[in-house]
Amino acid sequence: TSSAASLQAAPSKMTKMKKKFTRGEATTFISRKQALKRLQLSLNDFRRLCILKGVYPQEPVNRRRVNKGSSTPKVYYHLKDIQFLGHERVMQKLRDIKAHLKKAKRAKERGEMHTVDRLQRNFPAYTLDHIIRERYPAFEDAVRDLDDCLCLCFLFSRLPKERGVPVEQIRLSARLTVQFLHWVIAARALRKVFVSIKGYYFEADVNGVSVVWSVPHQLGLHDPADVDFKILRTFNDFYTTMLGFVNYRLYSSLGLAYPPALANEVDPSDYCQTGEAHEEFMASLNQPLLSRRGGEAEGNPAEPDDFPDEEAEGAEAASAARRKARAQQRLFNGCRFFLNRETPRQILCFVIRSCGGEVSWSPLSGPGSRYPESDQRVTHQIVDRPLGDSRLSGRAYVQPQWVFDCVNSGSLLPTGDFAPGLPPPPHLSPFAAYSADDADGGDEAAQLPYSATRSAPPDPVELRRPSAAAELEEEDDYEAEDAAKRETAAADAAQVGKQQKNQKKPSVVAEGTQRRTQDAKQAAAEERRLREMMLPKKHKQLYKKMVFSRKRQARESAQLAEKKQKRQRTA
């Protein structure tokens, strides 16, 4: 009895049972289906809201633990991100739009067209200004994220006006991108240019940050079936709002009026309507902008101070970069260009004016022409097809690649190798570093098709007054070059014939040696194949990547060597 009483008097020390999946990763993440149920949104609205707010799916460390022991593949989000989305006021606007569409559909089915018109006029709209200020609290944050913004906006500006994308969105993207290009011209901020089959790649210095973007070629595009334009349109809505904020800040830093206005009054030509004259002349990129004070905002931008007694690390490199930037800003000063109709007018005008040059073209090609082709002050005429005898004296005829290579090298290159009808030198990318074996020579100047260490180009002013002696000397040079080429071809043919004549028939001993060498190579290849089969699975993937990388490097080296041989043969 005493033992039973002691057991009844003892306090209970039983602990609370811990249940599985009630803490840790199981409560940190939430599936997409649960998020849709919590926010009461459709899948399309949820995707749009996530894109606007910058919320993306997360990958948990242990998926089975998050999914409560199940291995079913699901899309997970962070629980705090979903709670963050629940306080967004755009979500209520999305619900209003959904209800508005239901009302319009019901009124249309009933035949109440006056109600449909009223609902269309009062369609609910939302703005993204507060989201831009929330995601980019500082201007530098927006500039660092400007690459994707510019690429997508330039892509939308080149899209055809089809059902996939509204026309208003295409025009807005085109207007904002043209405004950004005008700022680059006014600030002389262009640094690199590269042309590829995908489009044009540019690099500009925006408030000390290198921004790289691409511009597609002006070609006829088709509507791809495997691209979801709804998602791209949502990204474009966000990026156009962001680019508007950035353009306003950049224009204010240079003292330009925003929205931009032309400094000179333009007359609508016969090739555009009166209401579209301003947009057409702005898109030509060949008109000066109006400043806040009411005058013409053109000229050299403010240059950074150069302190010669800097002792910080990298001071010499920074000083060299500043000197190169100043040289690029004045690269085409004093040069007047005329563009033929087959050249990319907008791209060339943007590049030339960003480096201080003047551009014009035929009025039949489009609005924005400044002077005619017969102007005696023209120093360079850019053509992209062979010319006959219709050449004007006093100017150099070059291909469009000459302009791009001049910008990348930082100096005016010789125009002889870029003459119309001749194969131009290789157009190497300034965004990639080349080794000494990939180009002619081993110095840094050989990384580009031409360098400033070559002979200095003639003065553009002297090109206008060629003398008769210079023309005769040029003709003699052409004749001597043709004669040298004929002699070289004859010598090569004689050498090949001599080698074929002196070539001996293979002997039996040579055939046996060749057979043994071939058998040894086959045995080595078989042994290598067996060794590859014995590799573990985790090492086999790494080995395949290494082999692929080596083959790609060998292929690129072979292509560069072939280009080098072609240049040596044509030189």
Side-chain angles (χ1 to χ4, degrees):
T1 57
S2 60
S3 60
S6 62
L7 288 175
Q8 292 179 358
S12 177
K13 295 184 179 181
M14 295 179 62
T15 58
K16 191 175 182 180
M17 182 182 296
K18 295 181 180 179
K19 296 183 179 180
K20 295 178 66 176
F21 312 119
T22 57
R23 63 184 65 190
E25 286 186 330
T27 58
T28 305
F29 296 93
I30 184 174
S31 65
R32 187 174 63 183
K33 185 177 180 180
Q34 294 173 347
L36 294 177
K37 186 177 181 181
R38 173 174 292 199
L39 297 177
Q40 294 295 308
L41 290 174
S42 62
L43 181 58
N44 292 334
D45 292 342
F46 177 74
R47 285 176 176 171
R48 181 183 301 181
L49 190 61
C50 288
I51 291 172
L52 296 178
K53 297 289 288 184
V55 175
Y56 300 99
Q58 303 291 335
E59 182 64 26
V61 179
N62 194 333
R63 297 181 64 91
R64 292 178 61 89
R65 188 177 300 169
V66 174
N67 204 12
K68 298 182 180 180
S70 176
S71 59
T72 306
K74 293 183 180 180
V75 180
Y76 294 99
Y77 290 86
H78 206 282
L79 181 60
K80 290 187 177 180
D81 291 340
I82 302 302
Q83 294 174 352
F84 174 65
L85 292 179
H87 299 283
E88 178 55 45
R89 57 189 179 188
V90 175
M91 187 168 56
Q92 184 60 38
K93 285 291 183 180
L94 296 178
R95 293 169 180 164
D96 295 343
I97 292 174
K98 188 175 181 180
H100 196 85
L101 293 176
K102 287 183 179 180
K103 293 179 182 179
K105 181 181 179 181
R106 184 166 57 250
K108 187 175 182 180
E109 291 175 351
R110 293 178 178 178
E112 301 174 355
M113 302 309 298
H114 62 282
T115 306
V116 175
D117 296 339
R118 178 178 57 82
L119 291 174
Q120 289 180 354
R121 290 194 302 269
N122 300 327
F123 194 85
Y126 58 89
T127 59
L128 305 177
D129 299 347
H130 64 286
I131 298 181
I132 299 297
R133 290 191 291 265
E134 177 185 296
R135 292 184 61 176
Y136 304 107
F139 179 65
E140 291 75 12
D141 300 333
V143 172
R144 281 192 290 266
D145 201 15
L146 201 58
D147 300 348
D148 296 336
C149 172
L150 291 174
C151 290
L152 190 62
C153 289
F154 273 103
L155 175 62
F156 267 72
S157 65
R158 300 298 177 93
L159 289 179
K161 298 177 176 60
E162 295 181 353
R163 293 184 178 180
V165 181
V167 179
E168 295 78 9
Q169 201 166 9
I170 296 176
R171 290 180 177 176
L172 178 61
S173 300
R175 185 170 70 251
L176 292 174
T177 51
V178 166
Q179 292 175 5
F180 179 78
L181 294 181
H182 270 289
W183 177 85
V184 175
I185 293 173
R188 306 281 180 89
L190 186 65
R191 296 295 176 264
K192 295 179 183 179
V193 187
F194 179 64
V195 186
S196 71
I197 59 174
K198 295 183 179 180
Y200 304 90
Y201 292 84
F202 300 101
E203 179 181 330
D205 185 7
V206 182
N207 284 16
V209 179
S210 296
V211 178
V212 181
W213 74 94
S214 63
V215 180
H217 292 289
Q218 192 71 35
L219 301 174
L221 302 176
H222 65 281
D223 189 5
D226 55 345
V227 176
D228 190 357
F229 274 94
K230 292 182 180 179
I231 297 178
L232 290 181
R233 284 170 53 186
T234 305
F235 274 104
N236 187 254
D237 287 337
F238 175 78
Y239 282 142
T240 49
T241 308
M242 171 186 170
L243 188 56
F245 275 86
V246 173
N247 286 345
Y248 173 76
R249 183 69 178 271
L250 294 177
Y251 273 64
S252 301
S253 63
L254 291 183
L256 300 175
Y258 192 85
L262 300 178
N264 304 324
E265 295 184 1
V266 294
D267 296 331
S269 60
D270 299 335
Y271 308 101
C272 62
Q273 299 180 2
T274 306
E276 299 178 353
H278 181 269
E279 294 184 2
E280 291 291 338
F281 278 91
M282 284 288 296
S284 67
L285 301 178
N286 203 22
Q287 299 293 329
L289 298 181
L290 184 68
S291 65
R292 289 182 176 179
R293 299 179 180 178
E296 182 177 326
E298 288 292 327
N300 295 330
E303 299 178 353
D305 296 331
D306 193 3
F307 300 99
D309 55 347
E310 286 182 335
E311 297 181 358
E313 296 182 2
E316 296 182 0
S319 179
R322 285 195 294 268
R323 288 195 297 269
K324 183 179 179 181
R326 291 171 184 171
Q328 285 182 336
Q329 291 175 356
R330 307 188 187 98
L331 182 61
F332 295 136
N333 279 3
C335 299
R336 295 171 68 90
F337 294 82
F338 188 86
L339 310 180
N340 277 24
R341 62 181 181 179
E342 70 272 5
T343 58
R345 187 177 71 250
Q346 188 183 39
I347 297 297
L348 287 174
C349 181
F350 166 66
V351 174
I352 293 172
R353 292 196 64 216
S354 298
C355 299
E358 298 182 28
V359 195
S360 183
W361 49 81
S362 173
L364 300 177
S365 300
S369 176
R370 305 291 293 272
Y371 44 85
E373 182 180 3
S374 59
D375 193 345
Q376 298 297 327
R377 296 174 296 175
V378 175
T379 59
H380 299 82
Q381 185 163 347
I382 302 178
V383 298
D384 202 10
R385 59 182 178 183
L387 291 177
D389 298 333
S390 59
R391 298 195 181 191
L392 299 177
S393 60
R395 65 184 64 179
Y397 288 84
V398 293
Q399 301 182 32
Q401 183 182 332
W402 180 81
V403 178
F404 306 135
D405 288 348
C406 286
V407 175
N408 295 333
S409 62
S411 60
L412 294 178
L413 302 177
T415 59
D417 296 327
F418 296 89
L422 296 179
H427 180 57
L428 303 181
S429 172
F431 301 99
Y434 299 95
S435 61
D437 299 335
D438 297 336
D440 296 337
D443 53 349
E444 295 180 357
Q447 294 182 5
L448 291 174
Y450 287 93
S451 63
T453 58
R454 297 186 56 157
S455 59
D459 189 3
V461 180
E462 297 180 358
L463 288 173
R464 306 179 194 143
R465 307 185 186 90
S467 60
E471 294 180 356
L472 293 176
E473 185 178 356
E474 186 177 0
E475 292 179 0
D476 295 341
D477 292 341
Y478 284 145
E479 293 178 359
E481 185 178 357
D482 293 340
K485 288 183 179 179
R486 287 195 296 270
E487 292 177 0
T488 304
D492 293 342
Q495 185 70 18
V496 171
K498 187 181 296 184
Q499 291 179 359
Q500 292 179 354
K501 184 177 180 180
N502 297 333
Q503 189 176 7
K504 297 181 179 180
K505 296 182 179 180
S507 61
V508 179
V509 178
E511 290 180 358
T513 305
Q514 185 177 4
R515 189 182 301 109
R516 286 194 298 270
T517 304
Q518 187 176 2
D519 294 340
K521 289 183 179 180
Q522 290 180 357
E526 183 67 16
E527 183 181 359
R528 186 181 187 87
R529 187 180 66 83
L530 294 175
R531 291 174 61 187
E532 291 176 358
M533 292 174 59
M534 296 299 295
L535 284 174
K537 187 175 181 180
K538 60 180 181 180
H539 295 164
K540 189 176 295 184
Q541 297 295 334
L542 178 60
Y543 176 76
K544 289 182 179 179
K545 291 181 181 179
M546 293 171 59
V547 172
F548 176 79
S549 178
R550 290 176 181 175
K551 289 183 179 180
R552 182 177 60 185
Q553 291 179 0
R555 184 169 61 253
E556 292 176 354
S557 299
Q559 291 177 356
L560 290 173
E562 185 179 357
K563 289 182 179 179
K564 180 179 177 180
Q565 293 177 0
K566 288 183 179 179
R567 285 186 57 189
Q568 291 177 353
R569 288 196 296 266
T570 56

